[in-house]
């Protein structure tokens, strides 16, 4: 990170494997990345930053093996449909269990998968601009209300 960017941490949470409920691994209470080796992962369109998607796809895997990609999806609904159809899997924040419950989709803990962190970011020189100030204030109020 550079000195000209400021961050406001929002959340850190585990990532889970999102698999078709019919996948043989979906019956397990927890998985490792090695168990998911060879299972295709949904892909993103070319305009999505590859560095960002590599993090979410865990590509390359810790053992250096590349990920095998499945269909390209463009939104959450197509992602969940592709997973439910058994065409590919993905990794999502653990909150997906609550926010995206779907018949045919299972969320499985992955014990050796790094968590995800979300944050707001802005350029330090722009911190006093009205829009940035309003977003920073809303984030602060939301965090205070959650406590």
């Amino acid at each position: 990170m550079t000195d000209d960017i400021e961050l406001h941490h929002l959340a850190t949470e585990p990532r889970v494997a999102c698999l078709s409920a019919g996948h043989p691994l979906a019956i397990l209470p927890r998985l490792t990345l090695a168990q998911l080796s060879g299972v295709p992962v949904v892909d993103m369109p070319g305009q999505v930053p590859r560095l960002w998607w590599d993090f979410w796809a865990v590509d390359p895997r810790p053992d250096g093996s590349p990920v095998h990609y499945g269909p390209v999806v463009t939104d959450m609904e197509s992602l969940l449909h592709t997973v439910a159809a058994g065409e590919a899997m993905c990794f999502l924040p653990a909150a997906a269990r609550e926010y995206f419950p779907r018949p045919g989709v299972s969320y499985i803990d992955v014990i050796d998968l790094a968590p995800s962190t979300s944050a707001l970011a802005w350029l330090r020189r722009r911190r006093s601009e009205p829009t940035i100030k309003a977003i920073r204030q809303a984030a602060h109020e939301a965090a205070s209300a959650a406590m």
Side-chain angles (χ1 to χ4, degrees):
M1 187 171 72
T2 64
D3 290 340
D4 61 338
I5 296 176
E6 292 182 343
L7 295 174
H8 175 87
H9 177 264
L10 297 173
T12 297
E13 65 180 307
R15 289 185 285 168
V16 297
C18 181
L19 289 164
S20 167
H23 193 285
L25 294 173
I27 64 168
L28 299 174
R30 65 191 60 77
L31 296 167
T32 64
L33 287 169
Q35 288 174 292
L36 294 163
S37 177
V39 178
V41 175
V42 295
D43 205 357
M44 291 286 142
Q47 64 266 33
V48 172
R50 203 70 219 176
L51 181 64
W52 178 79
W53 193 241
D54 285 348
F55 169 81
W56 283 101
V58 192
D59 189 8
R61 297 295 163 87
D63 66 1
S65 63
V67 168
H68 302 286
Y69 288 97
V72 172
V73 298
T74 57
D75 57 41
M76 196 62 179
E77 288 303 318
S78 64
L79 182 147
L80 292 169
H81 178 77
T82 299
V83 168
E87 297 175 34
M89 58 86 58
C90 67
F91 298 103
L92 294 173
R97 286 181 169 123
E98 178 184 347
Y99 294 120
F100 303 109
R102 293 292 189 282
V105 173
S106 293
Y107 298 99
I108 313 295
D109 293 329
V110 182
I111 61 173
D112 57 347
L113 183 59
S116 67
T117 297
S118 57
L120 297 174
W122 56 87
L123 295 173
R124 185 179 308 277
R125 69 179 178 275
R126 297 183 67 189
R127 79 179 332 260
S128 297
E129 291 180 13
T131 302
I132 303 297
K133 283 175 71 171
I135 291 169
R136 288 176 41 231
Q137 181 64 33
H140 177 73
E141 290 174 11
S144 296
M147 293 181 170

